[in-house]
């Protein structure tokens, strides 16, 4: 089966044509660099996305702390992950890269801060 | 009495920071960076999604992470003085600059000025959507600030007008926050945003993108209740019989940015009325010697990586200008 997809690994956004058998990648054309093939393989086998969102804080400089997963997580888990994020409140200052939740939801990725955030002045 | 400063930079976004660092590296010892907000980083603070720095840092960073790297470099440069909550209200062609900061009104005579004031969003008025003016219509970037910085949602069900990247990014962001995004409406035949954003922000969540469609009316008394949508032909004329309505309480408008250049205009520089960009022979220059413009204030950029690169050139140009000016002055003496 042929499947058309757009590589999202960089802003070039190559149009890929993947040959797919069940949930396996058989062939791929259209990529301008090797990352395109990796993307197509993962997209066919189990699509992954990096989650970026914000966590509510208490008594810190800003009301919301921007965060992300340090690795992509399964696309199918994004909304569940958002529910978990909404139950969190951050109460201590963090630096960029500080781990907010290790092995987040058991997905083998950490939820990390993407900016420094100090105490409320 | 106005105090004297060698180089004054207005705006502490990626453009202003890159210009300050490059000017400092090129030998300018006295730099004042003025930012009206309470933090450096500009628009990047609200762009919490990844997609920044692929060229510059060979890594895919979020906006705050990209800004953070520059904020650190500025912090490590003792010759760059940063003044936050400092709103520049006036600039003259003689490079006299006035700004407000909490509890004070300051005046400065600058040797050179770099304007890195960014851009503002085109608003609904500029594209003429007829209908009432109920609450619930927001420029997409403002909605982004509400959600990502202030932490509250603009509504429950949204329709997005315009398929620029900011609108696409906001479609996904609102879905993640539990809102329903009914559709993105784009009058052109193709999306204005990057293909990757159409895929990961719309297709991933099954949000329909109506190309060659436009909003003909916004309904609602106090709050938006629904919008009318119609297909258009290649001359953007409405196709009869193609109209439909979408119920929603929120409309986000994402139809592009225009440079913020009020200060340059006050100073008497020439400005292209259509694009609001400075008229000059080269990027970063203005029609007034010693006043430079960089980043989104100079022209609208898609990628922050190129903002940083070009703004560094602006910093170097200002340093060159200050050097030659100093040489000619000493010769006259
Ligand atoms: C919503 C949005 C999403 C984007 N997404 C991406 C992306 O995914 N990837 C990417 O590479 N690029 C993206 N971009 C583009 C990129 O972020 C911008 O091009 C870049 O941030 C522009 O930098 P700047 O410094 O020129 O402007 P800004 O970041 O807007 O900074 C201007 C600064 O000047 C200050 N200022 C203005 N007037 C005054 C005054 N009178 N006195 C004092 N201070 C003043 C403002 O407060 C602000 O801090 C996006 C842009 C926007 C708007
Ligand atoms: S295949 Fe390579 S060049 Fe093309 S979009 Fe993917 S990462 Fe970018």
């Amino acid at each position: 089966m042929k499947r058309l997809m757009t590589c999202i690994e960089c802003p070039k956004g190559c149009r890929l044509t993947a040959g797919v058998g069940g949930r396996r990648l058989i062939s791929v054309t259209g990529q301008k660099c090797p990352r395109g093939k990796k993307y197509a393989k993962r997209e066919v086998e189990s699509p992954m996305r990096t989650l970026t969102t914000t966590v509510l804080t208490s008594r810190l400089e800003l009301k919301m702390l921007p965060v992300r997963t340090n690795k992509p997580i399964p696309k199918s888990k994004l909304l569940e992950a958002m529910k978990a994020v909404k139950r969190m409140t951050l109460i201590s200052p963090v630096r960029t890269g500080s781990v907010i939740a290790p092995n987040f939801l058991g997905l083998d990725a950490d939820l990390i801060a993407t900016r420094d955030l100090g105490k409320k002045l | 009495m106005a105090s004297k400063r060698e180089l004054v930079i207005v705006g502490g976004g990626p453009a202003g920071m890159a210009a300050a660092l490059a000017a400092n590296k090129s030998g300018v010892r006295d730099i004042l960076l003025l930012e009206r907000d309470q933090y450096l980083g500009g628009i990047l603070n609200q762009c919490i999604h990844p997609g920044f720095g692929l060229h510059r840092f060979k890594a895919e960073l979020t906006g705050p992470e990209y800004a953070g790297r520059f904020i650190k470099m500025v912090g490590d440069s003792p010759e760059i003085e940063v003044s936050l909550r400092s709103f520049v209200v006036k600039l003259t062609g003689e490079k006299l600059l006035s700004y407000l900061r909490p509890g004070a009104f300051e005046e400065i005579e600058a040797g050179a000025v770099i304007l890195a004031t960014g851009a503002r969003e085109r608003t609904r008025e500029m594209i003429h959507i007829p209908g009432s003016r109920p609450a619930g219509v927001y420029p997409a970037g403002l909605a982004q600030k509400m959600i990502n910085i202030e932490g509250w949602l603009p509504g429950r069900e949204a329709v997005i007008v315009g398929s620029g990247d900011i609108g696409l990014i906001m479609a996904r962001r609102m879905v993640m926050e539990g809102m329903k995004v009914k559709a993105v409406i784009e009058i052109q035949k193709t999306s204005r945003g990057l293909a990757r954003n159409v895929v990961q922000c719309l297709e991933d969540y099954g949000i329909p993108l109506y190309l060659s469609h436009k909003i003909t009316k916004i309904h609602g008394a106090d709050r938006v209740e629904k919008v009318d949508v119609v297909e258009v032909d290649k001359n953007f004329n409405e196709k009869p019989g193609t109209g439909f309505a979408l119920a929603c309480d929120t409309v986000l408008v994402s139809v592009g940015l225009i440079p913020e250049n009020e200060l340059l205009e006050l100073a008497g520089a020439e400005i292209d009325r259509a694009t609001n960009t400075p008229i000059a022979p080269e990027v970063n220059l203005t029609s007034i010697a010693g006043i430079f413009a960089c980043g989104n204030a100079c022209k609208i950029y898609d990628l922050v990586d190129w903002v940083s690169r070009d703004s560094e050139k602006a910093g170097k140009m200002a340093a060159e200008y200050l050097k030659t000016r100093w040489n000619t002055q000493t010769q006259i003496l």
Side-chain angles (χ1 to χ4, degrees):
Chain A
M1 198 183 82
K2 286 253 175 291
R3 194 173 137 192
L4 292 172
M5 55 177 89
T6 306
C7 177
I8 61 172
E9 294 292 311
C10 90
K12 287 205 181 87
C14 297
R15 294 290 299 165
L16 310 180
T17 308
V20 182
R23 292 194 75 185
R24 282 193 47 231
L25 182 75
I26 299 162
S27 65
V28 59
T29 54
Q31 71 275 28
K32 291 202 183 78
C33 86
R35 283 163 70 198
K37 184 173 159 203
K38 253 172 90 184
Y39 172 80
K41 184 164 151 54
R42 214 166 58 177
E43 199 61 12
V44 170
E45 287 169 5
S46 99
M48 308 282 276
R49 300 288 185 264
T50 297
L51 174 70
T52 57
T53 183
T54 53
V55 170
L56 185 66
T57 73
S58 171
R59 273 179 260 196
L60 299 180
E61 254 177 305
L62 295 175
K63 187 180 161 196
M64 308 306 292
L65 171 76
V67 297
R68 68 175 168 91
T69 53
N70 64 348
K71 277 185 237 167
I73 61 173
K75 191 171 109 177
S76 56
K77 297 280 184 193
L78 285 172
L79 291 174
E80 188 186 327
M82 276 303 292
K83 286 210 180 101
V85 166
K86 287 209 176 278
R87 287 195 293 268
M88 298 176 181
T89 306
L90 180 80
I91 51 172
S92 10
V94 289
R95 308 293 306 245
T96 307
S98 295
V99 176
I100 308 295
N103 190 16
F104 185 47
L105 298 178
L107 295 172
D108 190 33
D110 299 337
L111 194 68
I112 60 168
T114 56
R115 70 170 288 157
D116 296 355
L117 202 58
K119 283 219 169 66
K120 198 174 212 152
L121 298 175
Chain B
M1 251 279 292
S3 57
K4 284 195 178 163
R5 301 298 295 252
E6 221 183 331
L7 175 60
V8 178
I9 300 175
V10 186
M17 290 193 286
L21 288 162
N24 191 221
K25 228 177 167 179
S26 309
V28 186
R29 287 277 136 82
D30 169 33
I31 303 173
L32 176 64
L33 180 57
L34 299 170
E35 168 55 52
R36 67 181 168 199
D37 232 322
Q38 53 181 321
Y39 35 65
L40 292 175
I43 202 83
L44 293 177
N45 287 297
Q46 67 185 63
C47 299
I48 63 163
H49 57 278
F52 302 83
L54 274 170
H55 298 276
R56 179 80 193 200
F57 296 113
K58 304 284 171 254
E60 182 156 31
L61 306 174
T62 63
E65 289 170 318
Y66 188 96
R69 295 195 178 193
F70 279 87
I71 293 171
K72 180 156 189 327
M73 287 188 267
V74 168
D76 291 341
S77 310
E79 290 163 346
I80 305 177
E81 183 195 336
V82 176
S83 181
L84 298 172
R85 296 190 169 91
S86 301
F87 194 160
V88 180
V89 290
K90 204 175 154 203
L91 174 68
T92 72
E94 288 70 47
K95 299 185 274 295
L96 274 167
L97 208 133
S98 326
Y99 69 95
L100 294 158
R101 62 181 175 86
F105 180 77
E106 308 275 2
E107 285 189 299
I108 295 181
E109 204 184 313
V113 174
I114 300 178
L115 296 171
T117 46
R120 61 166 183 268
E121 287 180 274
R122 289 182 188 274
T123 51
R124 176 164 74 127
E125 277 63 35
M126 295 180 186
I127 54 162
H128 307 292
I129 301 170
S132 50
R133 290 285 180 270
V137 184
Y138 303 98
L142 180 64
Q144 186 180 45
K145 188 170 185 188
M146 274 180 200
I147 297 176
N148 293 345
I149 308 260
E150 282 145 30
W152 55 281
L153 294 179
R156 279 189 291 269
E157 297 195 315
V159 167
I160 299 176
V161 184
S163 63
D165 285 313
I166 309 172
L168 300 179
I169 299 268
M170 285 313 293
R172 172 178 63 184
R173 187 72 186 108
M174 290 190 291
V175 170
M176 293 297 234
E177 287 293 335
M179 286 176 68
K180 198 166 163 51
V181 179
K182 291 282 185 74
V184 175
I185 313 292
E186 170 59 59
I187 193 163
Q188 306 287 340
K189 274 192 303 234
T190 52
S191 163
R192 278 188 237 202
L194 295 170
R196 67 189 315 223
N197 286 335
V198 174
V199 173
Q200 60 185 349
C201 300
L202 302 186
E203 289 172 16
D204 271 6
Y205 302 96
I207 301 169
L209 168 61
Y210 291 99
L211 298 169
S212 296
H213 277 73
K214 72 171 189 183
I215 289 213
T216 50
K217 198 165 176 186
I218 296 177
H219 298 267
D222 300 324
R223 177 83 200 191
V224 175
E225 284 163 15
K226 64 171 182 175
V227 295
D228 290 338
V229 182
V230 69
E231 195 179 342
V232 296
D233 62 23
K234 62 179 191 301
N235 302 316
F236 305 118
N237 294 319
E238 295 174 22
K239 282 194 187 169
T242 61
F244 59 96
L246 291 170
C248 59
D249 62 7
T250 304
V251 175
L252 253 52
V253 183
S254 172
V255 292
L257 303 170
I258 48 170
E260 177 88 59
N261 271 320
E262 272 64 31
L263 290 172
L264 196 55
E265 212 173 334
L266 276 176
E270 285 174 61
I271 289 183
D272 182 329
R273 294 273 152 226
T275 54
N276 224 35
T277 49
I279 297 180
E282 222 183 301
V283 69
N284 298 332
L285 292 180
T286 72
S287 61
I288 302 175
I291 300 185
F292 303 84
C294 65
N296 272 353
C298 179
K299 61 175 198 189
I300 301 299
Y301 287 86
D302 288 338
L303 286 184
V304 71
D305 305 62
W306 309 143
V307 170
S308 301
R309 181 197 60 194
D310 287 359
S311 300
E312 281 166 351
K313 285 187 205 146
K316 271 190 213 138
M317 286 162 124
E320 280 305 312
Y321 170 82
L322 287 164
K323 261 182 226 156
T324 24
R325 190 193 63 137
W326 204 78
N327 286 343
T328 39
Q329 271 179 357
T330 38
Q331 273 159 21
I332 295 163
L333 283 177

